[in-house]
Each structure stands twice: as C-alpha cells, then as structure tokens.
Amino acid sequence: MPMFLVGAELWRFRALIQALVQRHIATRYRGSLLGFLWSFLNPLCLMGVYTLVFSYYMRFDGGKHYHLLVFAGLLPWIWTSSALSEGTSALVSSGHLITKSMFPAHILPFVSVTSAMIHFVLALPMLIIFMLAAGMAIPATWFLVPVFILLQFIILNGAVLALSALNVFYRDVQHLVGNMLTFLFFLCPVVYPASAVPARFRFLLDANPFAVLTECYQKILIDGVVPGGLAFVSLILVAALSMGIGLCVHSYFRERFAEAL
C-alpha cells in the first residue's frame, strides 16, 4: 500500500480517529479515582523508584541531576512501551470493529500510537517544572522536540502496523513483544547515561533506534546539546524502513483479517 494512500485514508477518517483516540484515553483509567492523573503519576513513581535504587541503594553516579535524566528518558520510553504493547494487540482486541465496520484496519494501531503520544506530550510540562525547581534553565534545543516526536511517531507506527498484523495470525507475537520490551528497556540509556556504557559495547546503543532516540531526547531536553548528524540520519532511515516494512506486512495480511478475527 503506497504511503500517500495511507495518509489519504487517515485524513478521510480523521473524525473517527479522533473519536477512537478520545475513547482510548477515556477508557484507559476508567474506574480509577485519580483518572487521567495516572498519566503523570506513573512516570513520577518510576522516576522515584529508579532514583532511589540507583542513586542511594547502588550509589550509581549518574550526575547532579540524575532524576531529571531518568525522567527525560522515561517519558519517550513509556510512549514506546505503551504504543508497542497496545498497538500489537489493537487488531485482535478490536476485531469486532473490523468485521462489522467498513474502515481501514490500520486505523486501530495508529490510534494506539497517537493516544500514547498524547500522554507523552502532556507529561513534558512536568519535566519543565522539575528543571526549573532544580534551578536549571530550559535549553533552546527544546525546539527540536517536534522533530524527534515525528520520527518516533513514524517508527512506532511502522512497527505496530507489522506487529499487529502478525499478531492476528500468530498470537505469540503479543507475548514476545511484552518480553522484548523488558529486555529493550535495559538496552536503552533510561536509568543510566549513555556515557556510562563501555566503548566496546557502544555499538549496541548505536544499533538500537530506541536507544538513539532516548539519548537524543536527553541531550535536547536536559543537556541542551544538538544530537549529531549521524543520529538524525540513522533515525530518518529507520523511520523510512519501519514504515516501509509495516505497510508491506499489513498489506499482505489485510484481506484476511476479517476471516481470522
């Protein structure tokens, strides 16, 4: 399926996408007392736990503002983790919509990625508050945030297009993704600075697009440093490759979704 057709269909069904995103966000915390506040509390709790364990229990020297480094890494990671886990099962969990309604199936994983992105964007002001409270200035490099949001958005959409299609026919995929996310988390410099990785293992970070994304976010959000050109180029290539593979896999299986679901 050509990319421009996907874009045209997403635009055509924009009202439905908006309604599904609103429903997705509303149902996520339905029945909880704090509701949408959990979008802010979840990364805060994780930051508190990792800061306690690594800064005080293990006495890991992550720098003066280690908690901010962790928080800046956790936000894009939570977006990645939520989008991949929920997007992978999006077609299976909403199979009744595909079999009874006439709309493109790729809308459903797109909704999962978009909903997780909204939580990410809404949590960014908390990082600003923490930085100001710590006496830090907001770096001018924050203007690059939309660029990396766009790259991460494309990468995740390509990945969930392929994974959600495969999961319709091979339900092991959702379990495999869940386990891989745990492994992938520790391969990304979320709870440790990338500079702490020994030089002989540095290639593992460079070969991992989510590790590159994490390091780029930490540079522009905390350090005020513009990532190198190699990081930009590699992420653009990964985004193009991810979307290409995602569209090919999804197109190959899409005619059989209704039968399998």
Side-chain angles (χ1 to χ4, degrees):
M1 179 190 298
M3 182 65 193
F4 71 90
L5 285 181
V6 174
E9 286 186 335
L10 292 177
W11 176 254
R12 179 186 171 196
F13 291 95
R14 62 189 181 282
L16 174 63
I17 292 173
Q18 182 180 350
L20 290 174
V21 168
Q22 290 175 342
R23 191 190 70 163
H24 190 280
I25 293 174
T27 57
R28 185 168 186 175
Y29 301 117
R30 179 179 295 169
S32 63
L33 291 176
L34 299 179
F36 193 72
L37 284 177
W38 281 112
S39 293
F40 307 102
L41 294 176
N42 284 332
L44 277 178
C45 292
L46 288 173
M47 180 186 72
V49 170
Y50 291 131
T51 301
L52 175 67
V53 172
F54 287 96
S55 288
Y56 296 98
Y57 289 2
M58 299 179 67
R59 297 189 180 280
F60 171 73
D61 184 13
K64 182 180 179 182
H65 300 297
Y66 174 72
H67 62 295
L68 296 178
L69 178 87
V70 171
F71 197 67
L74 273 174
L75 294 182
W77 170 254
I78 290 174
W79 176 13
T80 297
S81 175
S82 299
L84 290 180
S85 58
E86 295 177 8
T88 297
S89 58
L91 297 181
V92 172
S93 60
S94 301
H96 61 287
L97 295 177
I98 298 174
T99 55
K100 296 179 181 178
S101 306
M102 295 297 292
F103 68 87
H106 60 258
I107 282 180
L108 295 173
F110 180 81
V111 167
S112 297
V113 176
T114 304
S115 301
M117 181 191 70
I118 290 174
H119 290 289
F120 166 75
V121 172
L122 292 179
L124 283 177
M126 278 203 308
L127 179 59
I128 295 178
I129 294 172
F130 289 149
M131 291 174 69
L132 293 176
M136 294 179 64
I138 306 303
T141 46
W142 271 66
F143 80 92
L144 287 171
V145 169
V147 175
F148 288 96
I149 287 178
L150 177 62
L151 289 170
Q152 186 173 0
F153 185 75
I154 297 173
I155 291 172
L156 289 175
N157 266 297
V160 297
L161 273 175
L163 292 171
S164 60
L166 290 170
N167 191 52
V168 172
F169 302 94
Y170 311 101
R171 303 296 167 89
D172 307 81
V173 173
Q174 59 192 4
H175 302 291
L176 184 62
V177 168
N179 286 292
M180 286 301 296
L181 283 173
T182 304
F183 182 59
L184 192 58
F185 172 77
F186 289 102
L187 290 181
C188 295
V190 177
V191 294
Y192 55 86
S195 58
V197 177
R200 64 181 185 278
F201 295 124
R202 175 70 204 191
F203 72 96
L204 291 175
L205 291 186
D206 296 334
N208 177 0
F210 296 109
V212 176
L213 266 173
T214 303
E215 189 177 1
C216 287
Y217 276 117
Q218 289 170 333
K219 282 183 176 179
I220 64 174
L221 295 176
I222 304 297
D223 301 333
V225 175
V226 177
L230 184 60
F232 277 105
V233 172
S234 64
L235 288 175
I236 291 172
L237 291 176
V238 169
L241 185 64
S242 174
M243 186 54 75
I245 294 174
L247 289 173
C248 287
V249 173
H250 186 86
S251 299
Y252 180 78
F253 289 109
R254 65 179 298 177
E255 297 299 330
R256 291 189 282 154
F257 285 158
E259 179 184 350
L261 292 170

